[in-house]
Amino acid sequence: SQDKLEDLIPLKSPLQLQRADHAFGLASAGSLSRGYTARYLFNTQNATRQTGEPNHCGVIGGASQWYALTNEVPGIFTLRTVGSEFSTLIAVYTLPRNRPLNMTNLVLATCDNHGTNSVVHFNAQPGTTYYVVVDGANGGKGNVQLNVSFDVPSQVTAPHRLLNGNFGFKLISRPGAVHRVEASSDLTNWIPILKTNSPSGELDFEDPISGHLPLRWYRVVQEQ
């Protein structure tokens, strides 16, 4: 994190939070293209408000820290300040292409002001840098816990007959994500048949009672 927006160094590769002295990759439970979670702890006691900085979410701040964040595949970022010790603000900005990095050129994407658990969600496109600022409402300062998660929509291959005659398919998702597999014969009545949280993010699913069925419908629901 940096006290001043312009001190953030240019992003040289996807999936990084950056600061002026060095870059560091986000923690991941597996393939970065499928998603990740990370937690960052920092203190805003010496943070300030720089010239031209707006009131994020329309609330007076005064002790902001900035991050630059990007991704390599389309997905959804979720940022939370749960665990922080004072009332926080989160705002996310983008920078129009070919414009210099300064407060005047930033475009607000989303923001939230919800005490010690401010939360923002936004769809992130590859190649776009998102400038994230965490501030304290009415000049609040102290220890901040910034929780970052990036989720890629789950992918399911079309169900097909396996060599043993049962139906099966492959599920690809974020490692550790919990999914519920349900089956139906009429698209109206759905029966839960499996709950999984594959550590690798991949699951080769087989329906053991489907060999005698002419067809069967499946749906996969991500629970967390």
Side-chain angles (χ1 to χ4, degrees):
S1 66
Q2 281 296 307
D3 186 36
K4 292 182 172 57
L5 170 68
E6 291 82 3
D7 286 342
L8 294 172
I9 64 176
L11 292 171
K12 297 179 180 179
S13 62
L15 295 161
Q16 290 183 325
L17 288 176
Q18 300 270 346
R19 60 189 186 190
D21 56 339
H22 69 282
F24 51 99
L26 287 170
S28 172
S31 171
L32 293 176
S33 63
R34 297 182 198 160
Y36 56 75
T37 60
R39 181 179 66 177
Y40 298 94
L41 307 175
F42 56 95
N43 187 281
T44 62
Q45 197 61 48
N46 296 319
T48 60
R49 174 187 176 90
Q50 70 185 95
T51 302
E53 185 169 349
N55 290 329
H56 309 293
C57 293
V59 178
I60 296 175
S64 58
Q65 291 280 3
W66 290 86
Y67 282 94
L69 182 63
T70 189
N71 53 293
E72 63 182 4
V73 295
I76 300 173
F77 274 114
T78 301
L79 310 179
R80 304 176 185 270
T81 58
V82 60
S84 300
E85 65 180 21
F86 61 97
S87 184
T88 57
L89 317 168
I90 300 180
V92 180
Y93 296 87
T94 57
L95 182 70
R97 189 178 299 274
N98 299 323
R99 300 295 295 274
L101 179 59
N102 57 51
M103 291 294 178
T104 303
N105 291 327
L106 290 183
V107 177
L108 180 65
T110 184
C111 71
D112 187 44
N113 167 29
H114 200 72
T116 57
N117 187 19
S118 295
V119 182
V120 294
H121 308 271
F122 60 96
N123 292 314
Q125 297 302 316
T128 298
T129 299
Y130 297 92
Y131 297 94
V132 178
V133 60
V134 178
D135 204 346
N138 299 313
K141 298 182 179 183
N143 293 318
V144 177
Q145 179 170 304
L146 178 62
N147 304 281
V148 181
S149 65
F150 180 72
D151 282 306
V152 177
S154 300
Q155 303 174 41
V156 178
T157 63
H160 58 278
R161 291 281 187 187
L162 303 175
L163 294 178
N164 61 9
N166 292 329
F167 287 119
F169 59 81
K170 178 182 285 290
L171 166 66
I172 302 175
S173 184
R174 172 172 54 84
V178 177
H179 293 81
R180 185 176 70 254
V181 180
E182 300 177 346
S184 174
S185 58
D186 55 13
L187 289 177
T188 300
N189 300 300
W190 292 92
I191 302 172
I193 55 178
L194 177 68
K195 180 179 285 191
T196 178
N197 62 340
S198 173
S200 69
E202 294 189 9
L203 171 69
D204 290 310
F205 170 76
E206 178 182 344
D207 187 349
I209 63 170
S210 61
H212 67 286
L213 300 175
L215 63 86
R216 204 174 197 194
W217 300 92
Y218 298 95
R219 68 182 181 186
V220 178
V221 180
Q222 183 172 332
E223 295 188 349
Q224 65 181 41

